[in-house]
Amino acid sequence: MAFSDYPLRIWAVIGSIISGFAFLYIVVRLIRTMIYGVDVPGYESIIVIVLFLGGVQLITLGILGHYLGRVFNEVKGRPLFIVRDRFGFGDTSSNKGRA
């Protein structure tokens, strides 16, 4: 996991799931409040807001981490390809000692 942005992508997905569930919970609680009334004033709104904002923070953390992971890979300065064999550079037997 060192030097990888994969865990941060996972947290972004988890944050999306948490935010989605919090949004669905908001809708369910609003419908239930309209039908049955308020059970405990203030409790539902605090729980929903904390869940939703926690999910949004995880999404943001994942986005920033993914961005920083891409920057890190660019800064390393590695080539975009790896050369396995050399073709067309003359006889390889005469170049054995020069690697």
PDB file of all heavy atoms in Angstrom, residues 2 4 10-11 23 39-40 42 57 61 63 74-75 79 93 98:
ATOM      1  N   ALA A   2       2.161   1.114   0.221  1.00  0.00           N
ATOM      2  CA  ALA A   2       3.023   2.280   0.223  1.00  0.00           C
ATOM      3  C   ALA A   2       3.108   2.860  -1.179  1.00  0.00           C
ATOM      4  O   ALA A   2       3.201   2.144  -2.169  1.00  0.00           O
ATOM      5  CB  ALA A   2       4.420   1.897   0.712  1.00  0.00           C
ATOM      6  N   SER A   4       0.878   4.182  -3.030  1.00  0.00           N
ATOM      7  CA  SER A   4      -0.236   3.812  -3.883  1.00  0.00           C
ATOM      8  C   SER A   4      -1.428   4.701  -3.550  1.00  0.00           C
ATOM      9  O   SER A   4      -1.639   5.052  -2.391  1.00  0.00           O
ATOM     10  CB  SER A   4      -0.595   2.343  -3.659  1.00  0.00           C
ATOM     11  OG  SER A   4      -1.769   2.030  -4.359  1.00  0.00           O
ATOM     12  N   ILE A  10     -10.432   3.778  -2.485  1.00  0.00           N
ATOM     13  CA  ILE A  10     -11.402   2.997  -1.710  1.00  0.00           C
ATOM     14  C   ILE A  10     -12.167   3.902  -0.759  1.00  0.00           C
ATOM     15  O   ILE A  10     -13.388   3.790  -0.619  1.00  0.00           O
ATOM     16  CB  ILE A  10     -10.690   1.860  -0.956  1.00  0.00           C
ATOM     17  CG1 ILE A  10     -10.190   0.814  -1.930  1.00  0.00           C
ATOM     18  CG2 ILE A  10     -11.614   1.222   0.079  1.00  0.00           C
ATOM     19  CD1 ILE A  10      -9.344  -0.264  -1.296  1.00  0.00           C
ATOM     20  N   TRP A  11     -11.478   4.822  -0.083  1.00  0.00           N
ATOM     21  CA  TRP A  11     -12.159   5.737   0.847  1.00  0.00           C
ATOM     22  C   TRP A  11     -13.116   6.654   0.109  1.00  0.00           C
ATOM     23  O   TRP A  11     -14.157   7.037   0.663  1.00  0.00           O
ATOM     24  CB  TRP A  11     -11.157   6.536   1.667  1.00  0.00           C
ATOM     25  CG  TRP A  11     -10.564   5.705   2.745  1.00  0.00           C
ATOM     26  CD1 TRP A  11      -9.255   5.321   2.857  1.00  0.00           C
ATOM     27  CD2 TRP A  11     -11.249   5.113   3.848  1.00  0.00           C
ATOM     28  NE1 TRP A  11      -9.104   4.527   3.963  1.00  0.00           N
ATOM     29  CE2 TRP A  11     -10.309   4.382   4.599  1.00  0.00           C
ATOM     30  CE3 TRP A  11     -12.568   5.128   4.269  1.00  0.00           C
ATOM     31  CZ2 TRP A  11     -10.652   3.690   5.745  1.00  0.00           C
ATOM     32  CZ3 TRP A  11     -12.906   4.427   5.426  1.00  0.00           C
ATOM     33  CH2 TRP A  11     -11.956   3.723   6.139  1.00  0.00           C
ATOM     34  N   PHE A  23     -28.268  10.360   2.479  1.00  0.00           N
ATOM     35  CA  PHE A  23     -29.290  11.058   1.699  1.00  0.00           C
ATOM     36  C   PHE A  23     -30.601  10.270   1.694  1.00  0.00           C
ATOM     37  O   PHE A  23     -31.684  10.837   1.860  1.00  0.00           O
ATOM     38  CB  PHE A  23     -28.798  11.302   0.274  1.00  0.00           C
ATOM     39  CG  PHE A  23     -29.749  12.101  -0.550  1.00  0.00           C
ATOM     40  CD1 PHE A  23     -29.873  13.473  -0.348  1.00  0.00           C
ATOM     41  CD2 PHE A  23     -30.536  11.492  -1.509  1.00  0.00           C
ATOM     42  CE1 PHE A  23     -30.759  14.213  -1.098  1.00  0.00           C
ATOM     43  CE2 PHE A  23     -31.427  12.229  -2.267  1.00  0.00           C
ATOM     44  CZ  PHE A  23     -31.545  13.596  -2.062  1.00  0.00           C
ATOM     45  N   ASP A  39     -40.466  12.514  16.362  1.00  0.00           N
ATOM     46  CA  ASP A  39     -40.235  11.661  17.534  1.00  0.00           C
ATOM     47  C   ASP A  39     -39.428  12.415  18.596  1.00  0.00           C
ATOM     48  O   ASP A  39     -39.891  12.665  19.691  1.00  0.00           O
ATOM     49  CB  ASP A  39     -39.483  10.391  17.145  1.00  0.00           C
ATOM     50  CG  ASP A  39     -40.319   9.484  16.265  1.00  0.00           C
ATOM     51  OD1 ASP A  39     -41.548   9.581  16.325  1.00  0.00           O
ATOM     52  OD2 ASP A  39     -39.720   8.693  15.517  1.00  0.00           O
ATOM     53  N   VAL A  40     -38.190  12.728  18.257  1.00  0.00           N
ATOM     54  CA  VAL A  40     -37.297  13.451  19.163  1.00  0.00           C
ATOM     55  C   VAL A  40     -36.785  14.673  18.407  1.00  0.00           C
ATOM     56  O   VAL A  40     -36.049  14.532  17.439  1.00  0.00           O
ATOM     57  CB  VAL A  40     -36.107  12.561  19.607  1.00  0.00           C
ATOM     58  CG1 VAL A  40     -35.189  13.328  20.535  1.00  0.00           C
ATOM     59  CG2 VAL A  40     -36.602  11.297  20.252  1.00  0.00           C
ATOM     60  N   GLY A  42     -34.696  17.448  16.879  1.00  0.00           N
ATOM     61  CA  GLY A  42     -33.286  17.766  16.725  1.00  0.00           C
ATOM     62  C   GLY A  42     -32.361  16.575  16.550  1.00  0.00           C
ATOM     63  O   GLY A  42     -31.296  16.691  15.943  1.00  0.00           O
ATOM     64  N   GLN A  57     -16.680  14.414   3.353  1.00  0.00           N
ATOM     65  CA  GLN A  57     -15.262  14.551   3.691  1.00  0.00           C
ATOM     66  C   GLN A  57     -14.453  13.374   3.169  1.00  0.00           C
ATOM     67  O   GLN A  57     -13.331  13.555   2.665  1.00  0.00           O
ATOM     68  CB  GLN A  57     -15.084  14.669   5.201  1.00  0.00           C
ATOM     69  CG  GLN A  57     -15.496  15.998   5.750  1.00  0.00           C
ATOM     70  CD  GLN A  57     -15.376  16.054   7.253  1.00  0.00           C
ATOM     71  OE1 GLN A  57     -15.193  15.036   7.918  1.00  0.00           O
ATOM     72  NE2 GLN A  57     -15.468  17.253   7.798  1.00  0.00           N
ATOM     73  N   LEU A  61     -11.439  13.565   0.536  1.00  0.00           N
ATOM     74  CA  LEU A  61     -10.142  12.968   0.837  1.00  0.00           C
ATOM     75  C   LEU A  61      -9.704  12.037  -0.287  1.00  0.00           C
ATOM     76  O   LEU A  61      -8.533  12.048  -0.699  1.00  0.00           O
ATOM     77  CB  LEU A  61     -10.215  12.199   2.154  1.00  0.00           C
ATOM     78  CG  LEU A  61      -8.955  11.458   2.582  1.00  0.00           C
ATOM     79  CD1 LEU A  61      -7.865  12.448   2.944  1.00  0.00           C
ATOM     80  CD2 LEU A  61      -9.261  10.551   3.736  1.00  0.00           C
ATOM     81  N   ILE A  63     -10.623  12.166  -3.484  1.00  0.00           N
ATOM     82  CA  ILE A  63     -10.317  12.952  -4.686  1.00  0.00           C
ATOM     83  C   ILE A  63      -8.949  13.602  -4.564  1.00  0.00           C
ATOM     84  O   ILE A  63      -8.131  13.547  -5.489  1.00  0.00           O
ATOM     85  CB  ILE A  63     -11.415  14.000  -4.942  1.00  0.00           C
ATOM     86  CG1 ILE A  63     -12.708  13.314  -5.366  1.00  0.00           C
ATOM     87  CG2 ILE A  63     -10.969  15.017  -5.994  1.00  0.00           C
ATOM     88  CD1 ILE A  63     -13.907  14.231  -5.408  1.00  0.00           C
ATOM     89  N   GLU A  74       3.914  11.424 -11.628  1.00  0.00           N
ATOM     90  CA  GLU A  74       4.523  12.307 -12.629  1.00  0.00           C
ATOM     91  C   GLU A  74       5.876  12.815 -12.171  1.00  0.00           C
ATOM     92  O   GLU A  74       6.809  12.915 -12.944  1.00  0.00           O
ATOM     93  CB  GLU A  74       3.624  13.503 -12.918  1.00  0.00           C
ATOM     94  CG  GLU A  74       2.564  13.288 -13.952  1.00  0.00           C
ATOM     95  CD  GLU A  74       3.110  12.909 -15.302  1.00  0.00           C
ATOM     96  OE1 GLU A  74       4.048  13.569 -15.820  1.00  0.00           O
ATOM     97  OE2 GLU A  74       2.599  11.936 -15.866  1.00  0.00           O
ATOM     98  N   VAL A  75       5.993  13.119 -10.893  1.00  0.00           N
ATOM     99  CA  VAL A  75       7.225  13.708 -10.365  1.00  0.00           C
ATOM    100  C   VAL A  75       8.361  12.697 -10.359  1.00  0.00           C
ATOM    101  O   VAL A  75       9.520  13.075 -10.446  1.00  0.00           O
ATOM    102  CB  VAL A  75       6.964  14.280  -8.945  1.00  0.00           C
ATOM    103  CG1 VAL A  75       8.239  14.660  -8.242  1.00  0.00           C
ATOM    104  CG2 VAL A  75       6.050  15.484  -9.041  1.00  0.00           C
ATOM    105  N   PRO A  79      10.070   6.800 -17.334  1.00  0.00           N
ATOM    106  CA  PRO A  79       9.591   6.798 -18.723  1.00  0.00           C
ATOM    107  C   PRO A  79       8.240   6.100 -18.824  1.00  0.00           C
ATOM    108  O   PRO A  79       7.854   5.327 -17.943  1.00  0.00           O
ATOM    109  CB  PRO A  79      10.671   6.016 -19.471  1.00  0.00           C
ATOM    110  CG  PRO A  79      11.321   5.181 -18.429  1.00  0.00           C
ATOM    111  CD  PRO A  79      11.247   5.965 -17.149  1.00  0.00           C
ATOM    112  N   SER A  93      27.046  -8.711 -29.922  1.00  0.00           N
ATOM    113  CA  SER A  93      28.192  -9.409 -29.335  1.00  0.00           C
ATOM    114  C   SER A  93      29.339  -8.443 -29.107  1.00  0.00           C
ATOM    115  O   SER A  93      30.123  -8.606 -28.192  1.00  0.00           O
ATOM    116  CB  SER A  93      28.623 -10.579 -30.207  1.00  0.00           C
ATOM    117  OG  SER A  93      29.025 -10.098 -31.484  1.00  0.00           O
ATOM    118  N   ARG A  98      29.929  -3.063 -22.877  1.00  0.00           N
ATOM    119  CA  ARG A  98      29.608  -1.640 -22.764  1.00  0.00           C
ATOM    120  C   ARG A  98      28.252  -1.355 -22.141  1.00  0.00           C
ATOM    121  O   ARG A  98      27.848  -0.235 -22.105  1.00  0.00           O
ATOM    122  CB  ARG A  98      29.622  -1.003 -24.148  1.00  0.00           C
ATOM    123  CG  ARG A  98      30.930  -1.055 -24.800  1.00  0.00           C
ATOM    124  CD  ARG A  98      30.853  -0.275 -26.066  1.00  0.00           C
ATOM    125  NE  ARG A  98      31.961  -0.669 -26.919  1.00  0.00           N
ATOM    126  CZ  ARG A  98      32.036  -0.377 -28.162  1.00  0.00           C
ATOM    127  NH1 ARG A  98      31.078   0.286 -28.746  1.00  0.00           N
ATOM    128  NH2 ARG A  98      33.074  -0.744 -28.861  1.00  0.00           N
TER     129      ARG A  98
END
